[in-house]
Amino acid sequence: MKHYVPVRSKSGLVSFLIHRKTTFLSLSLLLVLVAAAIISTGLGEMRISPLNVVRSMFGSGPDEYAMVINKLRLPRIVIGILVGASLAAAGAILQGIIRNPMASPDIIGVTGGASVAAVTFLTYSAGAVSIRFLPAFAMLGAAVVSIVLYGLAWKRGVTPIRLILVGIGMSSLMSAATTMMIVFSPRNDAGQAYLWLTGSVYAANWENVMTILPWTVILIPAAFLLARHINIGQLGDDIAAGAGSPVELNRLLLLLISVALAAAAVSVAGAIGFIGLIAPHMARKLIGSNAGSVLPVSALIGAIIITVADLVGRTFFLPLDVPVGVFTSAVGAPFFIYLLYTRRNSR
């Protein structure tokens, strides 16, 4: 236990252990994230030095940079950080409760539900309803699909294998429904719908930031407090129940947290794929399999991936602005195939 620092509230209702290596690694990744965000804010058609970027963030920079930093670039970067952290944490939770390293919100259909709702809005309602309601539609779609998913997977309880099998089928169904709506759309909005489906933080604003911020800052710590239930669940449902853990209740709570994090991210940035798959794997390679360590490290890695991918898409192909989802899919799809290959002999 010498490698852990105990944390306990005065009431005793909240208690957990913090691994020293996790703390050091999290702080290191946080510094990398801050550096990436500052560099990204300064790069573009107008180059701004890191010093002026920091000064402008605190309101003391040159006036000619204030508009570019505070109105155009900074909201986009903050959205990328929050989206990456939310998707990565959602993936880490799913992989823990399903006990399958290939689980992620996009693979079990949560992202697909948000996509169906968003494309429905874009193709049928965007002309009559304000675009500001798009995040609400996306979150509603993810919530409906998650309820259906849990209901179909229930048979005297929800087992991890049944949940992921139903989720894969639900994901395929949502993908087909989304494509059909775009093809038969009575409006000429296919380009906008495809851009949203690819996943992009383009044209993000502070209103988008406030849409996702409460979900991220509340639900990731909540998941961290429930991480010990993920750890004991790795031993199997029978052993977890024998140890006094309410298996079904904890699984439902963690699934709801994962769905809410993914839905909030998708609602403001579109269907960015594979972050929930890649980041938890990278975290486990760095810190081990303890859920309390994997969650914060995954969130930071996800935020870094989105920040760097957006920087590349925004600056390497000027004057084009390539959606961040293109780069995450380019890395994530081969990684998924690699996982399938390495686990081909596992049962």
Side-chain angles (χ1 to χ4, degrees):
M1 298 293 291
K2 65 179 181 179
H3 298 297
Y4 290 87
V5 177
V7 177
R8 185 182 179 89
S9 65
K10 292 182 178 179
S11 64
L13 295 176
V14 178
S15 62
F16 52 89
L17 299 174
I18 298 179
H19 196 278
R20 297 181 188 274
K21 181 180 178 181
T22 301
T23 303
F24 174 77
L25 181 59
S26 297
L27 291 175
S28 300
L29 290 172
L30 182 61
L31 290 176
V32 172
L33 177 60
V34 170
I38 292 174
I39 293 171
S40 180
T41 304
L43 295 179
E45 292 186 2
M46 176 186 288
R47 298 295 182 93
I48 304 172
S49 69
L51 178 60
N52 283 327
V53 169
V54 175
R55 291 175 59 194
S56 295
M57 288 180 179
F58 289 96
S60 60
D63 293 337
E64 63 267 26
Y65 298 147
M67 172 67 178
V68 174
I69 292 176
N70 296 320
K71 297 294 184 181
L72 300 178
R73 294 182 185 173
L74 196 56
R76 176 173 180 161
I77 291 167
V78 173
I79 280 289
I81 291 172
L82 295 175
V83 166
S86 297
L87 289 175
I93 295 169
L94 279 178
Q95 290 177 13
I97 63 176
I98 297 178
R99 302 199 293 272
N100 190 317
M102 292 183 288
S104 69
D106 44 334
I107 291 175
I108 70 166
V110 174
T111 300
S115 299
V116 169
V119 171
T120 301
F121 177 87
L122 291 172
T123 56
Y124 294 103
S125 305
V129 183
S130 172
I131 195 68
R132 293 182 179 182
F133 289 97
L134 175 60
F137 269 74
M139 295 185 72
L140 178 62
V144 170
V145 167
S146 301
I147 292 172
V148 174
L149 171 64
Y150 201 83
L152 292 175
W154 180 273
K155 184 179 179 182
R156 296 188 299 274
V158 176
T159 62
I161 185 64
R162 190 159 56 238
L163 188 63
I164 196 169
L165 287 175
V166 175
I168 291 173
M170 187 67 68
S171 179
S172 300
L173 179 62
M174 293 300 103
S175 178
T178 302
T179 303
M180 187 169 64
M181 279 192 297
I182 293 176
V183 171
F184 291 101
S185 171
R187 296 176 56 86
N188 189 25
D189 291 331
Q192 186 181 9
Y194 275 120
L195 177 62
W196 193 91
L197 288 173
T198 303
S200 175
V201 292
Y202 177 77
N205 54 50
W206 290 112
E207 184 177 347
N208 299 138
V209 172
M210 295 311 299
T211 298
I212 185 177
L213 182 63
W215 300 90
T216 305
V217 300
I218 293 174
L219 293 181
I220 291 181
F224 178 78
L225 294 177
L226 292 172
R228 63 183 183 274
H229 298 294
I230 300 178
N231 289 329
I232 195 171
Q234 298 295 315
L235 302 175
D237 292 356
D238 293 338
I239 295 177
S245 176
V247 177
E248 292 297 338
L249 177 60
N250 290 330
R251 184 172 292 151
L252 177 60
L253 289 175
L254 287 164
L255 180 62
L256 289 176
I257 291 173
S258 176
V259 167
L261 284 170
V266 172
S267 71
V268 297
I272 298 176
F274 293 104
I275 295 298
L277 177 70
I278 299 172
H281 279 274
M282 296 177 67
R284 282 192 289 270
K285 288 290 185 182
L286 292 172
I287 203 65
S289 60
N290 182 282
S293 299
V294 169
L295 273 170
V297 174
S298 295
L300 288 167
I301 290 175
I304 292 170
I305 291 174
I306 293 290
T307 302
V308 173
D310 182 55
L311 173 62
V312 172
R314 182 168 55 84
T315 60
F316 279 35
F317 303 96
L318 290 173
L320 298 176
D321 193 327
V322 181
V324 66
V326 172
F327 298 100
T328 60
S329 296
V331 175
F335 184 76
F336 184 67
I337 295 172
Y338 167 76
L339 284 179
L340 290 174
Y341 175 78
T342 55
R343 294 177 59 83
R344 66 191 185 280
N345 293 325
S346 63
R347 295 182 182 272

